[in-house]
Amino acid sequence: MTVESVRPVTHGTEEPREAPLAGGAVPVLGHGLKLVRDPLAFMSGLRAHGDVVRLRLGPKTVYAVTTPELTGALALSPGYRIDGPLWESLEGLLGKEGVATANGPRHRRQRRTIQPAFRLDAIPAYGPVMEEEAHALTGRWRPGETVDCTSESFRVAVRIAARCLLRGDYMDERAERLSVDLATVFRGMYRRMVVPLGPLYRLPFPANREFNRALADLHLLVDEIVAERRTSGQKPDDLLTALLEATDDNGEPIGEQEIHDQVVAILTPGSETVASTIMWLLQVLAEHPEHAEKVRAEVESVTGGRPVGFADVRALRHTNNVVVEAMRLRPAVWILTRRAVNETVLGGYRIPAGADIVYSPYAVQRDALSYDRHLDFDPDRWLPERAKEVPKHAMSPFSVGNRKCPSDHFSMAQLTLITAAVSAKYRFEQADGSDDTTRVGITLRPQRLLLKPVPW
Ligand code: HEM
């Protein structure tokens, strides 16, 4: 994936129009029920109603943007910021001062601090950890024995993020705790976001207790990691050092709370997204043995049979295309929101000041108007000559603009390496009790993927 950049859509002198109301609204709840019942189908159906459409969610009007061109314009425009119910509930749980929820000058300063750790030329330094973790993953599996892909995917994603970005020997035991905590926190967070029944979540039910314990442990872990690095007196060249040494616009060290929230804001989006994508990759390898075989053959032709390494990633073109195609059909981040700073115009439609806007990378990346045989899993559509046909912004799983995921190179490298490492050793079959239907949460992932690794 490369960083795209386009100029925001410009508008003529015509009077801006009122966006049409999407069909199917019912009294009182509007489109809310449909959105809750089947959010993916609902979001995917909206383009038929217009490029920008109004949704009624109870008493509230929300604008949905449906075309690749306008989602790109939205993401690239400074006229929209991160704000609204989704972000407020995230802030309440994870902290208010991290990069993922900040806006304006603080956000720009924070991006400058974290960016060097994710630059393309910084990634090779993470190669040995990525390699070790990818092989440790397959090393834990036994042929024919059921693998719980949810916990395994979480574990490898968290371990890679924690070991690469917050380096340290102490990280082994902590990475395990982190992966268990984050899996629990994400499960509970989505529930709290879509069904915001505040007081109910304070009752001492087992699920609430488990959520609160995991969230508290996550914050405690981050404090421990920061404190330990400080007392060690060491300053390895990593993201944690960059955060500890960061200064604000007046040259003053940033506060403790901001350091804490920054670590949380990097670990949380970095684990669930990668873990969900790994689950889908394993699901794809099980569902399409012909693609699993093609990946295996590519890995063998590149490595000649030795264990695949980070240095091979660039040569693994087909494997990379398998990763991209899996992300097209099952983007971890399936819904994004923004809030209009002032009254503005998007695609000729008036967007009032303060309006919440929503769009779905899932819907955009599966749109029949952008892709031939749009629901087919076809990694070869990313061969250079065919990829040219894909409309701009029709494939942006990492988004674009000032909120673009800083970790696109980091993520693509580990996902390609992991796919290659598991495919070199095994093909996969569904195990008893496996359910690979889509579970909609903060990210998309299979409900409960249980696979049996079978040696080639
Ligand atoms: C932001 C996707 C992995 C850290 C984002 C956004 C997307 C995204 C779409 C933009 C959100 C928006 O526009 O509102 C993904 C996907 C991943 C992935 C699909 C893997 C498959 C990671 C990893 C890390 C990370 C591994 C860190 C270790 C972040 C951060 C932001 C972000 C800090 C907030 C950036 C900002 O607001 O300036 N990610 N991400 N992501 N991602 Fe990722």
Side-chain angles (χ1 to χ4, degrees):
M1 302 289 308
T2 53
V3 180
E4 295 161 283
S5 74
V6 296
R7 279 181 294 124
V9 174
T10 50
H11 311 285
T13 48
E14 276 170 43
E15 265 304 288
R17 286 163 291 164
E18 185 68 14
L21 186 68
V26 297
V28 185
L29 292 174
H31 299 94
L33 214 54
K34 287 196 163 154
L35 189 58
V36 169
R37 273 208 192 125
D38 193 349
L40 300 177
F42 177 71
M43 293 304 294
S44 300
L46 289 178
R47 192 170 181 184
H49 301 262
D51 296 356
V52 177
V53 294
R54 275 179 300 133
L55 307 180
R56 289 254 155 80
L57 302 181
K60 211 174 145 87
T61 298
V62 170
Y63 291 75
V65 176
T66 67
T67 68
E69 187 193 16
L70 291 181
T71 53
L74 176 72
L76 287 162
S77 164
Y80 307 95
R81 52 191 260 137
I82 293 267
D83 211 337
L86 177 83
W87 303 104
E88 280 153 19
S89 41
L90 280 178
E91 278 182 355
L93 296 168
L94 301 176
K96 291 187 192 331
E97 298 187 26
V99 62
T101 49
N103 280 298
R106 184 203 284 265
H107 176 251
R108 280 195 291 280
R109 165 171 66 69
Q110 291 182 330
R111 285 289 296 220
R112 277 199 299 276
T113 304
I114 67 169
Q115 208 71 47
F118 293 105
R119 273 207 325 250
L120 190 55
D121 58 3
I123 308 301
Y126 306 131
V129 169
M130 290 183 181
E131 256 173 58
E132 207 181 297
E133 291 295 339
H135 293 302
L137 182 73
T138 58
R140 281 195 291 273
W141 300 345
R142 295 286 159 262
E145 278 183 19
T146 300
V147 168
D148 178 346
C149 298
T150 311
S151 55
E152 285 296 278
S153 303
F154 247 101
R155 180 170 297 128
V156 69
V158 173
R159 289 182 63 87
I160 289 179
R163 289 188 63 204
C164 290
L165 303 170
L166 310 174
R167 248 183 277 186
D169 301 334
Y170 54 78
M171 206 43 94
D172 266 18
E173 177 258 339
R174 298 236 166 94
E176 291 300 313
R177 258 169 80 195
L178 268 174
S179 77
V180 174
D181 288 347
L182 283 170
T184 310
V185 165
F186 273 112
R187 218 174 24 244
M189 248 165 60
Y190 184 67
R191 221 170 285 151
R192 281 158 178 75
M193 277 158 54
V194 288
V195 192
L197 297 173
L200 204 66
Y201 294 115
R202 288 197 282 277
L203 295 175
F205 296 139
N208 291 346
R209 277 209 295 265
E210 191 194 18
F211 174 82
N212 290 334
R213 191 210 50 76
L215 188 62
D217 194 50
L218 172 66
H219 288 295
L220 179 70
L221 261 167
V222 169
D223 284 339
E224 283 173 18
I225 291 167
V226 171
E228 212 155 296
R229 172 64 68 81
R230 281 227 169 88
T231 42
S232 78
Q234 287 176 1
K235 294 183 179 178
D237 180 17
D238 70 357
L239 183 61
L240 186 52
T241 301
L243 292 174
L244 292 173
E245 307 232 302
T247 52
D248 65 18
D249 290 336
N250 302 319
E252 300 290 330
I254 61 171
E256 285 304 305
Q257 190 63 49
E258 183 173 333
I259 292 172
H260 177 100
D261 290 359
Q262 278 280 69
V263 175
V264 176
I266 287 155
L267 280 178
T268 41
S271 52
E272 168 100 1
T273 49
V274 172
S276 306
T277 310
I278 295 171
M279 287 175 228
W280 285 122
L281 282 161
L282 293 170
Q283 190 269 347
V284 155
L285 295 173
E287 190 181 343
H288 301 284
E290 70 288 7
H291 288 298
E293 164 55 24
K294 221 172 150 187
V295 172
R296 187 206 61 77
E298 182 182 64
V299 178
E300 190 175 297
S301 78
V302 168
T303 62
R306 64 168 164 71
V308 61
F310 178 83
D312 300 316
V313 164
R314 281 175 70 97
L316 294 168
R317 296 278 168 80
H318 181 71
T319 309
N320 177 77
N321 291 348
V322 166
V323 175
V324 175
E325 181 67 349
M327 291 172 79
R328 179 182 77 84
L329 286 169
R330 314 275 191 198
V333 180
W334 65 278
I335 193 152
L336 285 166
T337 69
R338 290 290 185 272
R339 183 169 280 175
V341 179
N342 299 306
E343 178 168 319
T344 171
V345 179
L346 191 63
Y349 296 101
R350 190 180 75 83
I351 310 285
D356 286 324
I357 303 153
V358 63
Y359 72 98
S360 169
Y362 175 93
V364 169
Q365 291 171 192
R366 285 175 166 239
D367 192 337
L369 294 173
S370 299
Y371 293 96
D372 274 349
R373 294 179 297 114
H374 58 293
L375 300 181
D376 286 5
F377 183 82
D378 175 12
D380 289 344
R381 66 171 90 244
W382 301 107
L383 289 171
E385 64 280 11
R386 287 182 61 197
K388 284 196 301 242
E389 292 158 20
V390 175
K392 196 153 202 165
H393 302 302
M395 180 61 193
S396 286
F398 295 103
S399 193
V400 290
N402 67 340
R403 314 302 306 214
K404 184 178 94 54
C405 182
S407 166
D408 51 351
H409 301 306
F410 181 83
S411 303
M412 287 307 293
Q414 60 172 308
L415 290 167
T416 306
L417 184 59
I418 289 169
T419 307
V422 300
S423 307
K425 213 162 160 187
Y426 295 116
R427 61 185 183 80
F428 295 91
E429 289 173 1
Q430 297 280 346
D432 289 346
S434 182
D435 177 358
D436 66 356
T437 55
T438 305
R439 171 186 171 284
V440 182
I442 289 179
T443 62
L444 293 186
R445 60 157 116 136
Q447 289 284 359
R448 183 161 190 256
L449 186 64
L450 301 173
L451 295 181
K452 281 189 187 162
V454 182
W456 289 103

